[in-house]
Amino acid sequence: MRRVPRRFQRFKKEYPEVASAYEKLGTECHAGGPLSQKERALVKLGISIGARLEGGVHSHVRKA
């Protein structure tokens, strides 16, 4: 089971409707796109590397 960052947990608590819409958007984008799960993980890894997001890089390496 993956750990949800505390920052996002606080965001969900403070703005539950926005968090719900954000999660639904992610679900719809994944379901409607032409990329496989592995391809999405690799794209997210590239974005994390380019943005120098160390936590994101670690997370997406594990998923890819």
Side-chain angles (χ1 to χ4, degrees):
M1 185 173 186
R2 65 181 209 195
R3 183 183 72 80
V4 178
R6 277 186 248 148
R7 180 178 290 168
F8 188 66
Q9 290 174 5
R10 275 194 316 268
F11 176 79
K12 284 180 76 168
K13 187 175 183 179
E14 292 178 25
Y15 308 100
E17 293 165 354
V18 176
S20 177
Y22 174 77
E23 290 175 333
K24 183 177 180 186
L25 174 64
T27 300
E28 293 296 322
C29 288
H30 285 194
L35 300 178
S36 70
Q37 184 174 355
K38 183 137 188 148
E39 291 168 326
R40 286 193 307 269
L42 290 171
V43 169
K44 289 178 182 183
L45 172 61
I47 292 169
S48 295
I49 291 169
R52 298 182 181 198
L53 301 171
E54 185 178 354
V57 171
H58 289 279
S59 174
H60 296 302
V61 164
R62 285 191 302 271
K63 292 176 185 176

